[in-house]
Amino acid sequence: MRLIPRSLLFLTSVFVLLSVSSTSPIPIPKLFTQCLEANSQNPIPFSTTIFTPQNASFTSVLESTAYNLRYLLPSMPKPEFIFTPLEESHVPIAVVCANKLKIHMRVRSGGHDYEGTSYVSLIEQPFMILDLAKLHAIKVDIAHNTAWVQAGATLGEVYYRISEKSPIHAFPAGICPSVGVGGHITGGGYGSIHRKYGLAADKVIDARIVDANGKILDREAMGEDLFWAIRGGGGGSFGIILSWKLNLVQVPPIVTVFTVNRTLKQNANNILHKWQQVLPNIDEDLFIMVHTTVTNSSTRGKTTISTSYIARFLGRVDRLLQLMEKKFPELGLTKKDCLETSWIKSVLYLAGFPNTTSPEVLIQGKLAIPKLYFKAKADYVKQVIPKNALNSLWKTLMQDDAALMIWVPYGGMMSRISESATPFPHRNGTLFLSQYVATWSDGEKSMDKHMNWVRRFYDTMTPYVSSFPREGYVNYRDLDLGMNQFNKSSFLRSSTWGFKYFKDNFIRLVLVKSKVDPSNFFRHEQSIPPVPIAK
Ligand SMILES: Cc1cc2nc3c(=O)[nH]c(=O)nc-3n(C[C@H](O)[C@H](O)[C@H](O)COP(=O)(O)OP(=O)(O)OC[C@H]3O[C@@H](n4cnc5c(N)ncnc54)[C@H](O)[C@@H]3O)c2cc1C
Ligand SMILES: *[C@@H]1O[C@H](CO)[C@@H](O)[C@H](O)[C@H]1NC(C)=O
Ligand SMILES: *[C@@H]1O[C@H](CO)[C@@H](O)[C@H](O)[C@H]1NC(C)=O
Ligand SMILES: *[C@@H]1O[C@H](CO)[C@@H](O)[C@H](O)[C@H]1NC(C)=O
Ligand SMILES: *[C@@H]1O[C@H](CO)[C@@H](O)[C@H](O)[C@H]1NC(C)=O
Ligand SMILES: *[C@@H]1O[C@H](CO)[C@@H](O)[C@H](O)[C@H]1NC(C)=O
Ligand SMILES: *[C@@H]1O[C@H](CO)[C@@H](O)[C@H](O)[C@H]1NC(C)=O
């Protein structure tokens, strides 16, 4: 005897199925994995490339290249999952699948974004991370003076692979070797030889990019507008850079480096005043940056200001000394301050590695400076800051126990490239880049104190830096300048930081964005917004 008719049994099981699937729908990472498999020409076991919080290695993958500990605090939003493509072809299908599943995507290369936009979304959840760390192949072609470099490579890997092939070839990009080429070059990328050769972005001759439709485009296919936008318009707005084709530059086999420190007692103010006038105009072979810190003087533990002149000269020590004697005698550089060394060793020197470090450190992913919690802000200076103003700056600088101000000279080639040649506009007329950094190691405890100090110092600088707009550098991202909201970005909202980072180039960036990604698939806190445009 059957108590329950078949049809009812069937209905019950359908009901059970439905209720199971509605209380535990297939999780997004699973759907994403299935979508990758369905769309891949050569499917691999994609589950081994997807990390969810349930996987033991999730945290280590998330934290791996994330450079600002402030964005790894427990209070920061965490991704639903991380996808680490193993080959180029996985990137376009990831875009197709994220589009299809409507999951917000962040793209990470070297993870050095100052505000963590490559691994934290403050404005839209849930989100996933596409982490390009495994795509870091570098092909150097000395005969043609070029290299193809995948986005997940670090600057250190690029420098090392070039030096492996030739001691007199180099690439003009950032000083910190752990920075990734994916984010760095899309934001411009200055370094220690930009006075001679310009930015990293100025040396890009081709690129491969995945657009919002999941198509791979090279320079010819993307067209000159998009190719212009990705060479300085900032990461995360136009597409996913897979690789860059770079022009290499020449360096001498032996270069000279030095570090000279001067405190207030040792005439720091006069020297710094002179540095501002001399460095933007001096021989392009010379680069001297200045780190200004608060230090305890050995006597009576009183705090004082210490300025550190860290330099590289593309030549031998004798020519350097002649040049310094003629143009910048105030520094009092002597032969015993200087070290003649190979190009690649000078890379390690400027990065801050001890002089016993071997160049292989550049391909081992070791950091010269350990990760810290930090907040930074930056300015461009166009007029020499008067000597008597410096003392008022030091007063504010001394209000933080780990304050750092970094001045980087521009001029030379930087001034000979027009403001609209690339989206990076800080060219002729810019004396130097001025950056303020607070670092700390106790997490949220002293965070507000340090963040407030940086903001206060930025205010103190107001009279001495560029204005209308007060210019900033997109690679020194600063969310104090404003953010897009939720999953929306608007032209009005973004125009504050847009004009600061790009000056009038911002308009062209918005037009390119509107054309190549009108649905705003590539978006973050400070991505370029699309506007509706007539076809
Ligand atoms: C310690 C330190 C030292 C630095 N030194 C210098 C320096 O000397 N000179 C200089 O110019 N800058 C310097 N920077 C700034 C650095 O250039 C930027 O932070 C740069 O954006 C980092 O690139 P990334 O790939 O490491 O960062 P990520 O955090 O991975 O990315 C940065 C941004 O670009 C996007 N993005 C990442 N990869 C891609 C891609 N493949 N395609 C499209 N968009 C992408 C991200 O979504 C994010 O919005 C330094 C930063 C740090 C933390
Ligand atoms: C994460 O866990 C899932 C479920 O256990 C597993 O299938 C997958 O392979 C794991 N991912 C990685 C990268 O190990
Ligand atoms: C210069 O000062 C810096 C920072 O205060 C210090 O780390 C470095 O050792 C000093 N270098 C020299 C050559 O005195
Ligand atoms: C200076 O010394 C004081 C007292 O020893 C210490 O608290 C402070 O952190 C030191 N500051 C710096 C910049 O080293
Ligand atoms: C490294 O630095 C130390 C201390 O400053 C110095 O004595 C030594 O000669 C240097 N070594 C090289 C190889 O330059
Ligand atoms: C830079 O600007 C100055 C002042 O406006 C001008 O005299 C000079 O010719 C410019 N240099 C270049 C290379 O354009
Ligand atoms: C944007 O956010 C709103 C509210 O969170 C959500 O309803 C909407 O679906 C989102 N739109 C897109 C395109 O993700």
Side-chain angles (χ1 to χ4, degrees):
M1 207 173 72
R2 269 199 303 225
L3 292 174
I4 309 168
R6 246 174 208 281
S7 55
L8 199 59
L9 250 183
F10 175 75
L11 273 178
T12 320
S13 59
V14 167
F15 177 75
V16 167
L17 266 179
L18 279 175
S19 62
V20 163
S21 67
S22 69
T23 53
S24 54
I26 304 177
I28 298 176
K30 184 102 198 263
L31 290 172
F32 190 82
T33 312
Q34 288 169 354
C35 178
L36 292 177
E37 271 154 15
N39 285 278
S40 177
Q41 307 247 304
N42 295 304
I44 59 153
F46 280 107
S47 66
T48 62
T49 61
I50 306 247
F51 301 82
T52 75
Q54 276 73 51
N55 292 104
S57 42
F58 175 78
T59 303
S60 70
V61 174
L62 174 63
E63 295 184 349
S64 57
T65 58
Y67 194 80
N68 192 346
L69 294 182
R70 184 157 59 90
Y71 281 96
L72 290 174
L73 282 166
S75 57
M76 286 294 168
K78 301 290 183 282
E80 289 289 293
F81 64 97
I82 304 167
F83 172 46
T84 58
L86 302 179
E87 47 180 88
E88 249 194 12
S89 68
H90 297 166
V91 180
I93 54 175
V95 169
V96 167
C97 293
N99 245 323
K100 199 162 150 194
L101 299 170
K102 301 214 178 326
I103 173 126
H104 179 45
M105 177 191 277
R106 293 296 170 117
V107 181
R108 182 164 79 174
S109 289
H112 277 50
D113 192 280
Y114 274 24
E115 302 277 14
T117 63
S118 56
Y119 53 96
V120 172
S121 170
L122 298 174
I123 54 173
E124 195 170 339
Q125 276 87 41
F127 70 101
M128 63 163 285
I129 298 174
L130 179 88
D131 186 335
L132 296 167
K134 295 218 158 84
L135 301 180
H136 64 142
I138 297 170
K139 272 195 218 128
V140 178
D141 182 350
I142 293 294
H144 293 97
N145 206 41
T146 58
W148 269 107
V149 175
Q150 279 188 311
T154 63
L155 297 179
E157 289 175 305
V158 175
Y159 300 153
Y160 182 88
R161 295 299 171 203
I162 296 170
S163 81
E164 239 181 356
K165 293 267 172 80
S166 159
I168 56 161
H169 285 76
F171 183 68
I175 296 162
C176 175
S178 50
V179 165
V181 300
H184 183 69
I185 302 182
T186 42
Y190 79 82
S192 55
I193 50 175
H194 64 185
R195 301 194 60 257
K196 184 158 185 162
Y197 292 117
L199 300 173
D202 297 330
K203 292 288 168 195
V204 171
I205 51 175
D206 202 342
R208 287 167 62 76
I209 182 172
V210 176
D211 72 7
N213 301 316
K215 281 220 168 63
I216 297 182
L217 310 172
D218 65 3
R219 177 175 183 169
E220 201 189 333
M222 78 180 87
E224 288 303 301
D225 272 343
L226 181 52
F227 186 63
W228 173 84
I230 58 174
R231 288 173 297 148
S237 284
F238 300 99
I240 302 172
I241 309 293
L242 291 172
S243 54
W244 302 105
K245 187 178 188 184
L246 310 173
N247 250 339
L248 307 182
V249 302
Q250 299 281 308
V251 289
I254 303 288
V255 302
T256 307
V257 292
F258 69 81
T259 302
V260 164
N261 290 347
R262 298 289 180 253
T263 61
L264 290 182
K265 273 221 184 86
Q266 294 166 314
N267 221 4
N269 282 2
N270 282 334
I271 301 170
L272 208 51
H273 189 240
K274 188 68 186 286
W275 177 93
Q276 300 179 68
Q277 298 162 67
V278 171
L279 259 293
N281 301 302
I282 207 165
D283 189 320
E284 289 163 19
D285 286 337
L286 182 59
F287 172 82
I288 308 180
M289 64 178 168
V290 193
H291 285 196
T292 303
T293 52
V294 182
T295 53
N296 280 329
S297 68
S298 45
T299 55
R300 289 176 284 132
K302 251 184 85 188
T303 56
T304 184
I305 293 296
S306 175
T307 54
S308 199
Y309 291 80
I310 306 163
R312 177 204 278 128
F313 180 62
L314 296 174
R316 306 293 297 251
V317 65
D318 292 337
R319 185 160 70 91
L320 170 63
L321 289 171
Q322 279 169 25
L323 177 66
M324 290 295 284
E325 184 50 46
K326 203 164 123 214
K327 302 276 177 155
F328 195 14
E330 292 80 0
L331 188 62
L333 185 71
T334 65
K335 194 162 188 166
K336 78 176 186 351
D337 296 320
C338 301
L339 177 70
E340 288 190 327
T341 190
S342 66
W343 165 259
I344 196 68
K345 287 251 173 157
S346 77
V347 167
L348 299 174
Y349 181 92
L350 287 191
F353 284 107
N355 68 358
T356 48
T357 312
S358 83
E360 279 65 35
V361 76
L362 297 172
I363 51 169
Q364 290 160 353
K366 292 208 184 100
L367 299 173
I369 308 158
K371 286 184 198 177
L372 288 162
Y373 299 84
F374 75 92
K375 170 68 192 173
K377 298 175 83 70
D379 274 308
Y380 282 100
V381 178
K382 308 198 150 188
Q383 275 171 348
V384 173
I385 301 175
K387 222 185 288 182
N388 60 17
L390 295 174
N391 282 324
S392 72
L393 300 188
W394 305 153
K395 243 185 240 156
T396 315
L397 200 76
M398 286 204 237
Q399 290 168 6
D400 193 89
D401 53 17
L404 169 64
M405 179 169 81
I406 303 174
W407 285 3
V408 173
Y410 276 30
M413 179 59 107
M414 291 294 283
S415 296
R416 291 197 298 277
I417 295 172
S418 93
E419 248 178 54
S420 57
T422 70
F424 179 97
H426 320 288
R427 303 284 188 171
N428 192 19
T430 301
L431 299 180
F432 59 96
L433 171 66
S434 176
Q435 183 183 193
Y436 330 112
V437 193
T439 54
W440 64 98
S441 49
D442 63 0
E444 263 164 356
K445 202 154 159 247
S446 67
M447 180 161 81
D448 288 349
K449 188 181 90 184
H450 292 290
M451 304 266 290
N452 290 337
W453 172 79
V454 187
R455 291 168 180 151
R456 211 157 56 236
F457 194 77
Y458 184 75
D459 289 343
T460 308
M461 289 301 290
T462 309
Y464 312 114
V465 300
S466 63
S467 52
F468 307 110
R470 183 171 186 172
E471 295 170 32
Y473 176 34
V474 67
N475 266 347
Y476 288 166
R477 193 185 302 291
D478 178 0
L479 293 186
D480 293 352
L481 305 180
M483 308 191 225
N484 295 318
Q485 273 188 338
F486 307 110
N487 52 17
K488 291 235 152 49
S489 48
S490 78
F491 177 78
L492 215 60
R493 188 162 264 288
S494 62
S495 59
T496 345
W497 75 81
F499 287 107
K500 285 174 188 292
Y501 291 154
F502 310 112
K503 295 172 78 174
D504 288 348
N505 293 329
F506 178 56
I507 303 284
R508 185 170 172 197
L509 288 171
V510 169
L511 294 176
V512 175
K513 170 75 178 183
S514 309
K515 211 168 79 189
V516 304
D517 183 18
S519 70
N520 206 18
F521 176 79
F522 297 107
R523 58 188 184 269
H524 57 67
E525 286 71 14
Q526 284 187 341
S527 57
I528 305 284
V531 292
I533 46 172
K535 289 254 158 84

